[in-house]
């Protein structure tokens, strides 16, 4: 476990999955979900080289079939710590003979965390070390404690979005698949989305086409406690259905799962990213602990 700390926050990151494990303020208040397996046993996994699922855990590259579990293998892989300073830590995962059994490309995936006052920058860097074009998806899955909610209570919370207009969302199913047909996203009156168990009856809310860039998790007084900012094409919101879980995930994604019935080539999946040999992809999202005075 690697810890970064300043006057406002402390964060802990594990080498397994390069996963953020904790976000606490100077008073010891925890903002990140603590992985109670009764509800969900993860904190903030990295999704790579797929986001969501491929149909039947099977996909095709040049006609050959490969198999990947939901959200890929990075979240369960051992990363290597390669750099650490007082405010930044960087982990790397490189392709290997084992990864190539399930994902036939050479790559380097770097994940960095930067602590700046009350902000945590999460930086992804994918580098193509192969001799051919590679294809991938990547995303974040951070889970945050719902303010003022205690375990055992019925789920209740609010997220304020930076778009007050009606938005389109993808129709989702409990198995993680979706239809590309859009459904009206009408559950955010004046930009505020009310959270309850019923919110997750279709697994998750997936908003695409870059319709959002900011989401604020509000306390009961209507003040933001956690803010996530992003420039990704998809943002997803999730909490397990029928568990009254005291957390919600705010997930910036460069990718989406297979549409139902898709059996095409991996490179032709919707919202796929492509890198020529030697090329790199880099992106960042930010977690702001809004309740901390700087």
């Amino acid at each position: 476990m690697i810890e970064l700390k300043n006057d406002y926050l402390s964060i802990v990151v594990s080498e397994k999955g390069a996963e953020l494990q904790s976000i606490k303020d100077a008073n010891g208040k925890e903002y990140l979900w603590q992985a109670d397996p009764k509800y969900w046993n993860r904190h903030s996994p990295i999704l790579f080289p797929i986001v969501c699922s491929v149909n039947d855990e099977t996909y095709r590259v040049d006609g050959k079939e490969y198999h990947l579990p939901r959200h890929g293998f990075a979240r369960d892989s051992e990363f290597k710590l390669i750099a650490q300073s007082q405010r930044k830590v960087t982990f790397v995962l490189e392709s290997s003979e084992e990864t190539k059994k399930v994902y036939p490309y050479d790559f380097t995936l770097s994940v960095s965390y930067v602590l700046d006052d009350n902000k945590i920058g999460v930086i992804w860097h994918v580098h193509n070390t192969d001799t051919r074009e590679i294809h991938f998806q990547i995303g974040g899955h951070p889970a945050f404690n719902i303010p003022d909610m205690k375990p055992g209570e019925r789920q209740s919370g609010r997220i304020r979005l930076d778009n007050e207009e009606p938005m389109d969302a993808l129709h989702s199913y409990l198995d993680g698949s979706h239809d590309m047909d859009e459904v009206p996203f009408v559950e955010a009156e004046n930009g505020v989305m009310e959270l309850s168990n019923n919110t997750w009856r279709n697994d998750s809310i997936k908003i695409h086409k870059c319709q959002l860039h900011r989401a604020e998790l509000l306390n009961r007084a209507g003040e933001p406690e956690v803010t996530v900012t992003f420039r990704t094409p998809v943002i997803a919101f999730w909490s397990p259905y029928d568990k009254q879980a005291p957390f919600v995930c705010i997930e910036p994604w460069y990718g989406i799962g297979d549409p139902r019935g898709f059996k095409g080539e991996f490179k032709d999946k919707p919202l796929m990213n492509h890198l020529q040999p030697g090329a790199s992809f880099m992106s960042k999202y930010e977690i702001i602990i809004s309740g901390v005075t700087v």
Side-chain angles (χ1 to χ4, degrees):
M1 297 292 183
I2 306 299
E3 183 179 22
L4 299 180
K5 188 174 184 179
N6 62 21
D7 291 339
Y8 309 100
L9 297 177
S10 64
I11 68 171
V12 176
V13 187
S14 171
E15 289 182 272
K16 182 177 180 180
E19 184 178 3
L20 188 63
Q21 304 278 305
S22 174
I23 304 172
K24 290 183 179 179
D25 64 21
N27 296 318
K29 180 177 179 178
E30 179 65 72
Y31 293 85
L32 198 68
W33 170 243
Q34 288 303 289
D36 182 346
K38 176 181 176 181
Y39 300 98
W40 187 58
N41 64 348
R42 298 181 188 266
H43 306 270
S44 181
I46 306 294
L47 316 183
F48 178 89
I50 59 171
V51 169
C52 285
S53 304
V54 290
N55 290 327
D56 300 319
E57 297 191 345
T58 302
Y59 70 100
R60 285 147 289 277
V61 175
D62 298 328
K64 183 177 178 179
E65 289 190 347
Y66 296 87
H67 306 282
L68 277 174
R70 189 171 186 174
H71 293 318
F73 54 76
R75 62 183 182 165
D76 294 315
S77 298
E78 289 293 331
F79 282 65
K80 181 189 299 183
L81 174 66
I82 62 164
Q84 183 180 359
S85 67
Q86 192 171 9
R87 62 183 293 269
K88 182 178 180 180
V89 62
T90 300
F91 302 87
V92 165
L93 176 67
E94 296 179 320
S95 55
S96 65
E97 290 305 312
E98 287 303 307
T99 65
K100 292 181 78 169
K101 291 177 183 178
V102 295
Y103 178 67
Y105 300 112
D106 284 316
F107 68 90
T108 299
L109 168 61
S110 302
V111 180
S112 297
Y113 296 90
V114 181
L115 184 58
D116 184 12
D117 292 338
N118 65 330
K119 301 175 183 178
I120 303 142
V122 184
I123 302 169
W124 304 318
H125 182 187
V126 182
H127 181 61
N128 181 357
T129 57
D130 211 313
T131 57
R132 56 178 172 164
E133 185 179 43
I134 71 170
H135 317 283
F136 70 94
Q137 298 176 327
I138 192 167
H141 203 310
F144 302 102
N145 296 322
I146 295 176
D148 305 317
M149 182 181 169
K150 297 179 176 60
E153 293 181 344
R154 296 186 65 82
Q155 189 182 83
S156 177
R158 290 179 293 170
I159 295 176
R160 183 163 59 212
L161 311 174
D162 65 337
N163 186 349
E164 296 186 5
E165 299 300 320
M167 291 168 282
D168 295 324
L170 296 172
H171 188 84
S172 297
Y173 299 91
L174 285 173
D175 64 3
S177 64
H178 67 277
D179 290 333
M180 292 304 292
D181 296 334
E182 295 169 346
V183 294
F185 181 67
V186 294
E187 297 179 17
E189 186 175 352
N190 297 319
V192 176
M193 180 169 61
E194 300 285 343
L195 305 181
S196 69
N197 180 65
N198 195 48
T199 307
W200 320 114
R201 62 190 180 278
N202 293 320
D203 177 66
S204 62
I205 295 170
K206 303 181 181 83
I207 301 173
H208 64 153
K209 298 181 180 178
C210 299
Q211 297 173 89
L212 294 175
H213 300 295
R214 184 182 185 93
E216 298 174 331
L217 184 57
L218 307 179
N219 60 24
R220 286 181 181 169
E223 303 162 333
E225 286 209 356
V226 176
T227 299
V228 182
T229 64
F230 43 88
R231 305 297 294 182
T232 53
V234 179
I235 186 70
F237 302 93
W238 176 81
S239 190
Y241 181 60
D242 256 359
K243 290 190 176 183
Q244 305 293 351
F247 72 88
V248 62
C249 295
I250 302 174
E251 308 177 40
W253 290 353
Y254 284 92
I256 198 74
D258 278 359
R260 284 199 159 185
F262 179 81
K263 293 185 178 180
E265 283 279 311
F266 187 61
K267 65 181 178 63
D268 297 324
K269 277 171 53 71
L271 291 175
M272 182 60 70
N273 306 284
H274 315 279
L275 281 178
Q276 292 295 325
S280 292
F281 163 98
M282 184 176 286
S283 185
K284 173 184 177 181
Y285 76 92
E286 196 166 61
I287 300 167
I288 305 166
I289 305 305
S290 314
V292 175
T293 303
V294 177

